[in-house]
Amino acid sequence: MLKGILLHYLRLFDIFLCRLLGLEKEEVNPCFFYQKKGNLFISSCSSFKRHLTHESWDTFSLTHWNRLKRDDQLKIGVSMGKSLAKHLVISFEGISLEQE
Amino acid sequence: MQLTDSYDLGIPQALKKLMDGKAKRDQSPFTICQLAKALEMPHSMLVKLAHPDPQKRVINPRIDTLSRIVSFFKADGFDVTIDDLLDGMQHKTDIVAQTLPDTTQRTVELYSFSKDFIKIGHSTLNLSSQSGNIIGLLSDEDIKPFFKAGSLFIIDRAMPLENEVLVAINLPQSPKTQIKRCFMKKKTIVLSDLLDEAENIILSPKMHYVLLGVVIHVNAKVS
């Protein structure tokens, strides 16, 4: 029981310290786009980690997309377009279709 | 110059990609022997550089050897640098360094991907292109390997064809409009599959094709 109480207060202290140092949110920062064996991959770095992680575009978009800043999303689109073809820009806007 | 952790793997990979790319574009095989002849280098030197067995591979080539290989392929129309050769032609695009293009809101007429070219409506989105001759194609199925169903392809009908653009084209063998990568050598247009699985198609005037235009923008669906 004492151990449980100690752990609880340690957790609270950890939360307080992280807030104080601005270490609350884990951010993902996309760095590079590249193609390999016909698939798209993205290298990114995460908060508090020194190494780059390499994921396929499908995995990255499933796990990290909604956490990205809007500017990063736009830049990913520009990079993706450049990776795929000349004069190509890719966007991920939600658009409405007005049918005939 | 940045070296990857396994740059000794990069050079054989890059050489293979360049030679395969040249063979595909020129529609004729291109061998190590031919490359050695073109570079005026011993054939054995290139074989050791590109050897699949790491024990038999040369892992510290001279810079002038790499320069000559790069110069040859550059003169032949390939966009390649020594860094690309060392990197295995991974062609990394730096996301952070990208500048966002200026965009304006445009309303685009939308059509289906069927060959009947059925108009389905219109949509408004932000585009960087100022071209007056653009249409949109809405995909009702995945266009592998990158685009999910529901992605919107904006086609510029006035843009001239160039090397390495994506094009929307109606071909006789397919009931739907296809998205292909375009390569040009002199006056020959070669279309390659995005998946690189299907054979290349050389467009000829005798083929009954309809080239809709160059794909300049894709509003993609995120999975």
Side-chain angles (χ1 to χ4, degrees):
Chain A
M1 190 179 161
L2 192 62
K3 193 178 173 185
I5 294 169
L6 257 171
L7 275 173
H8 172 71
Y9 281 106
L10 270 172
R11 264 186 228 117
L12 284 176
F13 182 67
D14 178 53
I15 291 167
F16 167 74
L17 210 56
C18 286
R19 265 200 206 148
L20 194 67
L21 296 170
L23 302 176
E24 285 181 283
K25 271 194 295 186
E26 186 176 321
E27 282 184 3
V28 171
N29 298 305
C31 301
F32 296 104
F33 228 105
Y34 61 96
Q35 280 192 61
K36 192 176 170 184
K37 291 181 185 173
N39 286 315
L40 281 174
F41 288 84
I42 188 163
S43 307
S44 55
C45 47
S46 307
S47 310
F48 327 127
K49 289 177 186 162
R50 292 197 300 183
H51 59 274
L52 280 175
T53 32
H54 307 278
E55 295 169 291
S56 68
W57 166 246
D58 284 341
T59 311
F60 181 89
S61 58
L62 262 171
T63 46
H64 304 301
W65 186 254
N66 293 324
R67 292 195 279 164
L68 291 176
K69 295 172 212 163
R70 175 149 168 79
D71 263 5
D72 282 342
Q73 291 180 344
L74 294 171
K75 285 185 177 184
I76 283 176
V78 172
S79 320
M80 201 173 173
K82 279 188 183 173
S83 290
L84 291 176
K86 254 188 195 170
H87 304 305
L88 182 66
V89 174
I90 296 185
S91 62
F92 305 96
E93 290 176 62
I95 54 166
S96 58
L97 163 65
E98 286 167 44
Q99 289 187 317
E100 293 277 289
Chain B
M1 193 187 331
Q2 263 185 335
L3 294 177
T4 60
D5 288 341
S6 56
Y7 83 95
D8 56 323
L9 290 174
I11 297 169
Q13 206 173 66
L15 261 179
K16 186 175 187 317
K17 277 186 189 170
L18 284 165
M19 289 170 60
D20 285 348
K22 182 172 165 59
K24 233 181 187 177
R25 186 202 60 188
D26 300 344
Q27 294 289 297
S28 74
F30 186 68
T31 61
I32 283 258
C33 279
Q34 287 170 294
L35 179 61
K37 202 175 174 184
L39 296 173
E40 291 176 0
M41 259 186 209
H43 166 252
S44 56
M45 188 188 285
L46 286 177
V47 167
K48 283 180 195 167
L49 202 56
H51 209 289
D53 184 351
Q55 303 293 325
K56 296 180 183 173
R57 192 186 301 149
V58 163
I59 58 165
N60 56 346
R62 285 168 49 160
I63 195 73
D64 65 290
T65 305
L66 300 180
S67 280
R68 282 164 75 178
I69 294 171
V70 165
S71 302
F72 169 78
F73 281 102
K74 250 188 173 156
D76 201 41
F78 288 87
D79 183 17
V80 60
T81 61
I82 289 183
D83 269 346
D84 293 332
L85 209 59
L86 293 171
D87 240 347
M89 300 285 288
Q90 281 195 343
H91 280 305
K92 291 178 187 166
T93 310
D94 189 340
I95 295 171
V96 177
Q98 297 305 319
T99 47
L100 300 174
D102 291 328
T103 56
T104 46
Q105 231 179 31
R106 304 274 309 265
T107 301
V108 180
E109 288 183 347
L110 297 187
Y111 296 84
S112 68
F113 259 71
S114 79
K115 262 181 173 172
D116 302 332
F117 210 54
I118 301 164
K119 191 171 177 185
I120 49 179
H122 57 271
S123 192
T124 304
L125 67 164
N126 293 312
L127 296 176
S128 52
S129 169
Q130 299 301 315
S131 171
N133 196 355
I134 56 171
I135 57 166
L137 297 181
L138 189 65
S139 67
D140 53 356
E141 50 188 40
D142 290 355
I143 292 181
K144 289 180 180 179
F146 313 119
F147 304 113
K148 306 275 178 227
S151 295
L152 173 56
F153 293 76
I154 305 297
I155 315 293
D156 186 338
R157 308 197 75 172
M159 186 179 270
L161 284 187
E162 271 183 54
N163 221 11
E164 296 190 46
V165 293
L166 290 189
V167 294
I169 186 166
N170 289 335
L171 292 165
Q173 56 265 47
S174 173
K176 289 197 164 191
T177 302
Q178 293 187 65
I179 304 295
K180 296 279 188 187
R181 192 175 278 118
C182 169
F183 292 98
M184 296 180 71
K185 192 177 181 189
K186 292 180 186 171
K187 289 181 184 172
T188 309
I189 302 171
V190 179
L191 301 178
S192 80
D193 195 42
L194 291 186
L195 261 176
D196 262 343
E197 284 178 354
E199 271 193 29
N200 284 356
I201 299 168
I202 302 174
L203 288 187
S204 76
K206 290 179 191 171
M207 280 172 83
H208 298 294
Y209 65 87
V210 176
L211 188 63
L212 298 177
V214 175
V215 181
I216 56 166
H217 191 111
V218 181
N219 193 63
K221 283 280 181 190
V222 180
S223 47

